Amino acid sequence: QPSREEKAVLMLDLDETSIYGNDGNDLPISLQWMGRPAEDVRQLYKLLVSPYLRDVYDSFQRQAERVDVVVYTRRPQMLTYKSSFRGISFALRYHPDWHSHGQVYFPASVHTVDDIMRQYTGPPLLREEDTDIRSSLERLLAARSALVSELGLSSPPVIAVTGGVKNLADTAQDLKFSLDHAFLYDDNIELVGNPNVVTVLPVQSLPEDRQRRVLEFMEERLPARLLDTELVEFLMESKAFERAIEVCQNTGDVTWRVPRASANVEWAVPSLSLQCRRLRDQKRDSEALQD
C-alpha cells in the first residue's frame, strides 16, 4: 500500500470538461428562457455532469488524505460584460476581496445569486442586464451544485473565473495552495504541455443511458414543441455540433438533441507522488544552476 499524500487539489474546467457541452449546449438557457423554475435548472445540471469525473475524484482520494476541489472556468462575459442592450462593454466588479490577478473568485460561502449580487460594486445595470447577469450566475451556481452532488463534497468549492488564458500559478497563489499536488482537468489544447494540466477530450456527447435521461428530462420539463419561435431561432444559430435541438425540414417539428458517445472514455489520473518528486527535482536542479 503506497503512502498517501497529505493534500491534493483537483481543479476542474466546466465547459466540455466537467459539464457536457458549452454550458450544457443551451439546454439550461432554454429552461430559463421559457421561465422554468431554478430547481429544474439545478436538476438538469446534475444530469449534465461529466460521467468520467467521479472516477478521477475517487482516484485522487486514494492518493491523498484530503482532496480540495476548485472550479476554474473561462467566462469572459462575467468579467467584462458586453451589453447587447446598450452596445457597450464594462467591467463587472464585486467584493474587492474577490478580485485578484484579473480573475474573480466566488467563495464557498455564496450559495445563491442574491449572495453574489449583494456584493456587486460595478456600474449601475439596466433591468435587462441585471436579469441576464443573474441568469448566467444561476447557471454557474447550478453547475457547482451538480459537482458537489456528483462528488459528494462536504462544502461547495471556490469558483475561479477568468476572462483569458488560465494561469495556474496566480490561482494557486490567490487560493493559497501548492502546485506540487494540484492538477487542472481541461479540454483546452492550448494548455497541453503544462505539467499541472491533464488535457481531456471535449465532452460533446454522453453515454447512452445518460443521453436518454437528459432527453427524457427535457421533454418532461419543457416539451420541445412548446418552444417559442424566437428561442428556436436562437438555438439554431449555434454551431451544428452544439445545437440543443433538431428541426425536421419536412414537418418543422422540433426535438431535443444530445449526441450519444460512441465509445467508452476513461480519463487519465496522474501519480501525485511522482509529480511531487519531479517538481522537487526541478527545484533542486534550478537551485544548483543558480549556485
Side-chain angles (χ1 to χ4, degrees):
Q1 178 74 16
S3 62
R4 299 168 77 195
E5 302 298 334
E6 183 178 343
K7 176 184 171 181
V9 178
L10 177 58
M11 293 178 282
L12 299 173
D13 172 52
L14 284 181
D15 300 326
E16 297 192 340
T17 301
S18 298
I19 300 294
Y20 157 77
N22 186 6
D23 197 14
N25 282 359
D26 295 333
L27 293 171
I29 286 179
S30 300
L31 293 177
Q32 292 178 318
W33 186 307
M34 297 297 292
R36 294 308 188 261
E39 183 58 27
D40 282 0
V41 177
R42 285 192 288 270
Q43 291 300 320
L44 173 61
Y45 272 102
K46 288 183 179 180
L47 295 174
L48 298 179
V49 171
S50 166
Y52 320 117
L53 191 57
R54 181 63 199 235
D55 286 346
V56 168
Y57 180 70
D58 289 345
S59 294
F60 268 68
Q61 283 198 305
R62 285 192 290 271
Q63 296 186 70
E65 299 289 341
R66 170 181 161 192
V67 179
D68 289 345
V69 175
V70 174
V71 173
Y72 195 4
T73 183
R74 184 177 182 271
R75 301 277 172 99
Q77 185 78 340
M78 287 190 170
L79 291 164
T80 302
Y81 183 75
K82 295 181 179 180
S83 174
S84 59
F85 309 100
R86 287 188 279 174
I88 61 172
S89 298
F90 52 88
L92 299 181
R93 299 289 299 181
Y94 299 94
H95 193 291
D97 291 347
W98 295 0
H99 292 269
S100 183
H101 290 109
Q103 303 188 142
V104 63
Y105 298 89
F106 296 124
S109 58
V110 300
H111 298 283
T112 67
V113 173
D114 284 341
D115 289 342
I116 295 176
M117 293 306 290
R118 273 194 288 269
Q119 302 295 334
Y120 180 75
T121 58
L125 301 171
L126 297 178
R127 180 175 54 82
E128 296 86 352
E129 294 166 345
D130 182 77
T131 298
D132 186 37
I133 291 168
R134 283 175 176 271
S135 294
S136 296
L137 290 171
E138 181 182 71
R139 295 194 301 275
L140 182 66
L141 292 179
R144 183 184 71 170
S145 176
L147 295 180
V148 170
S149 177
E150 178 76 8
L151 303 180
L153 304 181
S154 57
S155 62
V158 172
I159 305 174
V161 182
T162 184
V165 178
K166 292 177 181 174
N167 189 313
L168 275 63
D170 286 348
T171 304
Q173 178 184 333
D174 292 337
L175 296 180
K176 297 179 172 57
F177 66 80
S178 167
L179 286 176
D180 287 1
H181 299 118
F183 289 91
L184 168 68
Y185 277 71
D186 204 306
D187 68 299
N188 185 355
I189 59 173
E190 294 178 6
L191 298 173
V192 170
N194 186 314
N196 293 95
V197 176
V198 179
T199 308
V200 299
L201 292 174
V203 180
Q204 298 172 346
S205 58
L206 292 173
E208 182 177 0
D209 177 62
R210 186 72 71 86
Q211 176 212 35
R212 176 183 54 78
R213 290 168 62 194
V214 172
L215 292 174
E216 288 176 352
F217 178 89
M218 289 302 299
E219 193 59 27
E220 175 191 326
R221 304 300 169 95
L222 180 58
R225 68 179 185 280
L226 300 183
L227 302 184
D228 66 34
T229 303
E230 190 178 357
L231 175 55
V232 170
E233 292 174 352
F234 168 79
L235 295 174
M236 291 302 290
E237 289 174 358
S238 297
K239 299 172 184 176
F241 71 91
E242 290 184 341
R243 284 179 190 156
I245 58 171
E246 291 177 324
V247 180
C248 178
Q249 290 185 336
N250 296 328
T251 65
D253 290 344
V254 179
T255 54
W256 293 113
R257 173 187 177 274
V258 175
R260 180 186 302 173
S262 58
N264 292 327
V265 175
E266 188 173 323
W267 285 354
V269 178
S271 166
L272 300 182
S273 58
L274 286 177
Q275 168 78 348
C276 188
R277 195 178 311 140
R278 186 185 61 78
L279 291 172
R280 277 200 303 263
D281 290 346
Q282 284 183 348
K283 183 178 179 181
R284 185 192 62 220
D285 293 345
S286 176
E287 291 173 348
L289 287 173
Q290 291 174 0
D291 292 343

